[in-house]
Amino acid sequence: QGQLVESGGGLVQAGGSLRLSCKAPRMILSTFTANTKAWYRQAPGKERELVARITYDGNSEYVDSVKGRFTISKDNSRKTFYLQMNGLKPEDTGVYYCNQHSPSGYDYWGQGTQVTVSS
């Protein structure tokens, strides 16, 4: 554990933007490159849900509620991936977790970062 380090959360007004980053400084590059990368979030009193995912070959998918507002991207050379969040809404509030899923089925998790959107 401790392989993924998140940053970028905070408090923002509705309509604002944030960019979350997830770094994997201790992960070897080939492992980082091969893993599917994802962002999940957990709102108070709710289950953790998948927000966005990007595969090793760049295919991405999003939960319907964030389509057109959020963008997941990756920079393999920096062993970092991102979640750009625009047009934030109060319902986007929650703890955001980054995740990497290996081809063998192992999951790596970040420590979580709080995103709070005020109305």
Side-chain angles (χ1 to χ4, degrees):
Q1 296 301 317
Q3 293 258 24
L4 304 184
V5 180
E6 299 184 42
S7 60
L11 172 64
V12 64
Q13 289 188 334
S17 298
L18 286 172
R19 189 177 80 156
L20 305 182
S21 298
C22 183
K23 298 182 180 182
R26 296 186 293 164
M27 190 176 288
I28 63 172
L29 182 57
S30 59
T31 299
F32 181 89
T33 302
N35 292 342
T36 294
K37 298 152 185 63
W39 290 94
Y40 288 74
R41 66 185 177 193
Q42 187 164 19
K46 295 187 176 181
E47 293 188 353
R48 191 175 298 188
E49 68 168 347
L50 175 66
V51 176
R53 177 163 52 201
I54 187 166
T55 60
Y56 76 97
D57 57 354
N59 291 313
S60 58
E61 58 178 327
Y62 301 88
V63 66
D64 285 347
S65 60
V66 308
K67 285 181 180 177
R69 299 189 297 122
F70 290 12
T71 303
I72 188 170
S73 62
K74 59 189 173 81
D75 185 340
N76 289 336
S77 66
R78 297 178 184 272
K79 292 190 287 185
T80 303
F81 62 106
Y82 307 94
L83 185 67
Q84 178 67 45
M85 304 185 293
N86 299 328
L88 282 160
K89 304 176 180 180
E91 51 264 43
D92 294 317
T93 293
V95 179
Y96 283 69
Y97 297 90
C98 64
N99 166 271
Q100 288 200 44
H101 186 76
S102 75
S104 63
Y106 189 81
D107 279 301
Y108 303 86
W109 290 95
Q111 79 277 15
T113 187
Q114 177 70 44
V115 171
T116 303
V117 185
S118 62
S119 56

